[in-house]
Amino acid sequence: MSRVINFGAGPSALPESVLQEAALGLLDFDGTGIGIAEISHRSKQFTAFLNDVESLICTQLEVPPTHSILFTQGGGTGQFSAIVLNLLARHRLLHPDLANEDRVLDYVITGSWSKKATEEARRLGGGRVNVVVDARPYSKDAKSFDNIPPHNTYTFSPDPALIYYCENETVDGVQFSSDVSSPNSFPFHLLPQEGLLPLVADYSSSFMSRPITRLADHAVIYAGAQKNIGPAGLTIIIVRNDCLVDVDAAAKLGAIPVPISMSYKTLADGNSVYNTPPVLPIYISGLVLRRMKELGGVQYFEQLNKRKADKLYAAIQAGEDKGLFKAKVQEGSRSLMNVVFDVIGDEAKFVAGAEEKGMKAIKGHRSVGGIRISLYNAVTEEQTDAIVEYMKQFVSDTDTQGQA
């Protein structure tokens, strides 16, 4: 069987060596004679493996002891709800007499997913949503998500229940810079300066692709696994321990009741096996994390991913110079993970030509169209070189035909 190059945005490519190892584990996990998809989540073998996965994340991301790692289901969309409910419960315990209309939820909107997260916060209620900044007015057409807004446009609340941002927007190809001195970085220096910040970050499409900027300052970091480290079905949450609150006590004071499977404290107290976790995705993610460690961890992949993205953006620029490609995102705000651009002219021909060469899943998200090439960790530099070479050839062929 011939495998193609998968540039899909998720579920995304996984390392072939991991898939081969996982196939063996489906038949026999850790010498038990039971496949990983069949074994009890409370068995000593799986419990040991789960602890190892937690350690691999903590070590590679340098997670401080003030934070816990949780494994659950629901994906990023499930966390849109969970972060609101858990942090409203925390805020209720801290400020029991505050009226709901005086509880503020701060949201930074830089793309489709942060927009959806904001809409879910409004739907759940329990507090007033403050849009700290919306990137669309600062776009080239005043309506698209193509930028990280200037720092002087952010308006944070003095004591919000949560402060949310999405580190990398998978649909729109927009990402905060990891350089805190960059004007395209998240403005940590503008956050309220007193107390433990209720800072929440969605890292779903960039988790484990590079170190997390100022991780210790976050209350919650969450990520669906299906971009960089595993198959769909697993959500990884890094939560500061002061956010592991008694949600039932908060409900008695008037907070919105939190479903038991969404309670961070319940998950933490149960060591992520309060109910059956997504065992198979955890197993495959663990194999990916072991491989990452052997290769040099997130620092290795940060450099690799930057090289891949630089090559791809250079190819887009070369096509743009010829009037055949158009980058969608402003310089400085461009994602290392999800590279988006338009083909000026025959986009269908471009997609078909790539598929003929075994390069698939490059069409943009249905909501925005265009081309999207995702460069997650499992996409190799050689595979990136292949799409870059195809883009150069497409530009050359089209340019020659235009001159004929």
Side-chain angles (χ1 to χ4, degrees):
M1 181 181 66
S2 177
R3 286 176 58 80
V4 302
I5 302 175
N6 177 11
F7 289 112
S12 57
L14 288 167
E16 192 166 336
S17 61
V18 166
L19 293 175
Q20 291 169 345
E21 187 176 357
L24 298 176
L26 281 170
L27 294 173
D28 182 1
F29 169 61
D30 197 29
T32 60
I34 302 174
I36 183 61
E38 308 163 289
I39 201 162
S40 168
H41 59 291
R42 300 189 190 280
S43 65
K44 65 179 182 180
Q45 292 87 355
F46 180 74
T47 299
F49 188 88
L50 185 64
N51 290 336
D52 186 47
V53 176
E54 179 180 342
S55 177
L56 286 164
I57 294 171
C58 285
T59 301
Q60 294 186 59
L61 289 180
E62 299 181 356
V63 178
T66 51
H67 289 63
S68 298
I69 309 290
L70 309 178
F71 302 95
T72 187
Q73 306 98 332
T77 303
Q79 290 306 305
F80 292 168
S81 309
I83 57 171
V84 171
L85 298 176
N86 280 274
L87 291 180
L88 276 177
R90 174 182 179 269
H91 201 255
R92 176 73 62 168
L93 292 170
L94 291 172
H95 307 285
D97 299 324
L98 201 62
N100 281 353
E101 56 269 24
D102 295 324
R103 297 184 197 279
V104 183
L105 310 173
D106 274 3
Y107 277 78
V108 175
I109 302 178
T110 52
S112 300
W113 289 115
S114 49
K115 177 175 175 287
K116 287 180 181 292
T118 307
E119 290 167 354
E120 177 65 357
R122 288 198 179 103
R123 192 185 73 83
L124 289 173
R128 176 173 55 84
V129 171
N130 169 51
V131 175
V132 174
V133 68
D134 188 320
R136 284 171 290 189
Y138 307 98
S139 65
K140 291 179 180 178
D141 62 5
K143 62 182 181 180
S144 301
F145 291 117
D146 72 356
N147 70 97
I148 296 297
H151 286 175
N152 63 6
T153 62
Y154 292 69
T155 306
F156 292 103
S157 303
D159 185 23
L162 68 82
I163 307 164
Y164 166 95
Y165 73 100
C166 181
E167 196 270 346
N168 181 76
E169 289 282 359
T170 323
V171 171
D172 305 284
V174 174
Q175 185 173 29
F176 285 93
S177 171
S178 60
D179 178 2
V180 293
S181 65
S182 166
N184 306 110
S185 64
F186 186 81
F188 293 96
H189 62 289
L190 298 179
L191 294 171
Q193 297 301 307
E194 295 183 6
L196 293 171
L197 291 172
L199 184 61
V200 176
D202 179 350
Y203 262 79
S204 288
S205 52
S206 57
F207 190 66
M208 301 304 295
S209 68
R210 65 185 187 185
I212 294 177
T213 305
R214 293 181 63 165
L215 186 154
D217 290 331
H218 290 77
V220 181
I221 293 166
Y222 66 85
Q226 70 275 13
K227 310 294 186 180
N228 274 308
I229 68 167
L234 169 64
T235 306
I236 298 166
I237 309 169
I238 304 175
V239 55
R240 199 173 60 222
N241 295 332
D242 66 280
C243 297
L244 303 174
V245 301
D246 187 335
V247 296
D248 291 336
K252 291 177 181 177
L253 295 174
I256 302 172
V258 182
I260 197 69
S261 63
M262 283 188 169
S263 164
Y264 292 155
K265 186 176 189 302
T266 299
L267 289 170
D269 290 348
N271 297 315
S272 294
V273 292
Y274 172 81
N275 60 335
T276 307
V279 174
L280 180 59
I282 288 173
Y283 173 62
I284 296 176
S285 296
L287 298 182
V288 170
L289 288 163
R290 286 178 179 177
R291 175 179 176 271
M292 283 189 65
K293 182 180 178 181
E294 292 169 1
L295 290 172
V298 289
Q299 288 77 14
Y300 167 84
F301 281 96
E302 179 180 32
Q303 296 304 314
L304 173 63
N305 291 328
K306 188 176 186 307
R307 289 198 306 271
K308 294 186 300 186
D310 284 347
K311 290 180 179 183
L312 192 49
Y313 283 117
I316 294 170
Q317 183 61 57
E320 195 161 10
D321 292 342
K322 295 287 187 178
L324 295 173
F325 297 151
K326 183 174 178 55
K328 287 191 170 188
V329 179
Q330 297 179 33
E331 285 192 52
S333 301
R334 294 173 179 172
S335 171
L336 299 183
M337 295 282 95
N338 310 105
V339 178
V340 296
F341 62 99
D342 287 324
V343 176
I344 309 303
D346 198 341
E347 181 182 295
K349 180 181 177 182
F350 179 82
V351 173
E355 291 191 349
E356 286 176 6
K357 294 181 177 294
M359 295 178 282
K360 295 192 174 184
I362 67 169
K363 292 187 70 172
H365 191 272
R366 62 188 180 278
S367 65
V368 295
I371 302 297
R372 173 173 56 175
I373 299 171
S374 294
L375 301 176
Y376 298 127
N377 287 357
V379 175
T380 67
E381 194 163 6
E382 291 73 22
Q383 290 171 332
T384 306
D385 290 340
I387 191 73
V388 166
E389 184 58 36
Y390 167 68
M391 291 166 67
K392 290 178 179 178
Q393 191 62 51
F394 180 86
V395 169
S396 177
D397 292 347
T398 306
D399 190 43
T400 300
Q401 293 166 10
Q403 294 175 0

